[in-house]
Amino acid sequence: MSRCATVSRDLDEPVSGTAATARTWLLVEQPGPWGARALTSSHLDPALGRSLEAAAKGTGVRVALIRRPGRHADFGTPAVRKVYAAHTMPGNAWLHAATIDDPARLLDLDFTALGTGDQHTFDATLQGRPHVGGPLALVCTNGKRDRCCALLGRPLANDLAASGMSGIWEVTHLGGHRFSPTVLVLPHGYAYGRVEAHTVKDVLHGVQEGRVVPEGCRGRSAWERPGQAAELAVRTAAGEYAADALSVVRTENAVRVDGAAARWEVVVAHADGRHWRVIVAQGASLPPRAESCGTSVLGAPARMDVVSVHELEPTALAS
């Protein structure tokens, strides 16, 4: 059977507006094998994993496990492990790091505050500090979730690490395995699909300069999916690639007529005061196909189609 990533690529399924949603990422180092639901099916205490999931629910924080690229033999419980927190909202994007010896300390974090971008809970609880060094590139490699992530993600992670690049980690789940290999870049939180090593290098170089590389970009995790598609469309229309120049300031469901597909009206603002109204419609990627290697059920994955991009006059902003 064809791999889901191969089918998606062959059908030229668009990647825009498909990134996982999270205002803040909490990343916990956990070596060894990962199961499909890694927080509760790895060598992390499953009770702790369930508690972390419960603590993060509804806060805008997404918890994921990370490990260094390479072999994943079980060497026992690590004495110390790396933890990162990254907030992805424009104007307040940050990446902090800590080293802990007891992962249960993560439950002392104020997840609500962390989700709003308050780094003080991370620093005070875990003795965290701003990350020194370049951005992080997280490559999804969890083959138990979908085999495409292992077959395509692991070689990419290994190649990047072998090339001497710093900040390369494997991560448990970024969503959208059919776009493998998938990568999340922090602190800004832009996700990429169908990436190659040279693309990741360009993206990381761009992050250091404070800009976004549009090639293969799925969207910024700070926004819901209609907002992700709208922001990327404005970047293209305006030729604006500074990472923190654009923000999604309003997303509203547009009126639907005669059972039409969902539509959204998204307002995107530039730091210089300009605004755009973007109409995004939910479409279906056809023909039907298996959305994951783990299922034989055929489906038509939802896609975000940008219908129009219109720059607003200042007088139109109040309407």
Side-chain angles (χ1 to χ4, degrees):
M1 184 177 67
S2 297
R3 297 199 303 264
C4 65
T6 303
V7 173
S8 178
R9 185 188 294 267
D10 288 347
L11 294 175
D12 198 24
E13 182 183 353
V15 302
S16 175
T18 66
T21 301
R23 292 192 304 270
T24 302
W25 292 83
L26 180 63
L27 308 169
V28 185
E29 183 178 7
Q30 179 56 59
W34 297 333
R37 295 183 61 85
L39 280 179
T40 55
S41 55
S42 70
H43 290 176
L44 184 73
D45 179 357
L48 173 59
R50 285 190 291 272
S51 296
L52 288 172
E53 287 180 332
K57 187 175 181 180
T59 65
V61 178
R62 188 179 180 109
V63 185
L65 303 183
I66 57 174
R67 63 191 177 196
R68 298 289 186 181
R71 297 185 61 191
H72 306 129
D74 179 14
F75 297 111
T77 302
V80 296
R81 63 185 82 207
K82 200 78 171 180
V83 180
Y84 294 99
H87 189 62
T88 64
M89 293 294 288
N92 188 33
W94 50 261
L95 175 62
H96 283 217
T99 301
I100 61 174
D101 54 12
D102 180 7
R105 293 174 60 197
L106 296 168
L107 295 177
D108 294 330
L109 292 168
D110 183 339
F111 280 80
T112 299
L114 199 59
T116 64
D118 182 357
Q119 68 266 50
H120 296 100
T121 179
F122 184 84
D123 293 349
T125 303
L126 306 180
Q127 287 73 58
R129 296 289 184 272
H131 170 65
V132 287
L136 303 186
L138 311 174
V139 184
C140 187
T141 63
N142 190 353
K144 295 295 185 181
R145 191 93 186 188
D146 189 282
R147 63 175 178 159
C148 284
C149 297
L151 293 173
L152 301 174
R154 285 180 186 167
L156 174 65
N158 290 337
D159 288 349
L160 292 171
S163 71
M165 295 182 65
S166 61
I168 307 300
W169 292 86
E170 297 185 12
V171 67
T172 47
H173 185 47
L174 297 177
H177 1 265
R178 64 189 183 279
F179 303 120
S180 296
T182 60
V183 176
L184 175 71
V185 180
L186 296 173
H188 295 126
Y190 282 96
Y192 290 82
R194 304 187 188 122
V195 296
E196 299 178 1
H198 72 88
T199 306
V200 177
K201 293 175 182 178
D202 289 345
V203 169
L204 293 180
H205 181 68
V207 172
Q208 292 173 322
E209 296 181 343
R211 59 181 175 83
V212 178
V213 172
E215 179 185 356
C217 191
R218 300 175 61 192
R220 189 168 190 156
S221 74
W223 317 126
E224 298 293 334
R225 292 183 177 183
Q228 294 171 12
E231 187 229 54
L232 292 176
V234 171
R235 287 194 180 281
T236 299
E240 177 57 79
Y241 300 108
D244 283 342
L246 298 179
S247 296
V248 175
V249 296
R250 190 169 75 232
T251 301
E252 297 178 351
N253 280 106
V255 175
R256 291 182 288 174
V257 180
D258 297 330
R263 293 167 69 94
W264 295 266
E265 181 181 289
V266 184
V267 176
V268 177
H270 194 289
D272 66 9
R274 288 178 290 166
H275 289 73
W276 290 261
R277 178 181 288 123
V278 185
I279 303 299
V280 181
Q282 180 173 302
S285 295
L286 299 173
R289 84 296 300 268
E291 297 183 40
S292 169
C293 293
T295 180
S296 59
V297 177
L298 300 183
R303 53 188 279 176
M304 295 292 116
D305 294 323
V306 174
V307 177
S308 64
V309 179
H310 177 66
E311 186 171 353
L312 299 174
E313 297 294 334
T315 55
L317 295 178
S319 62

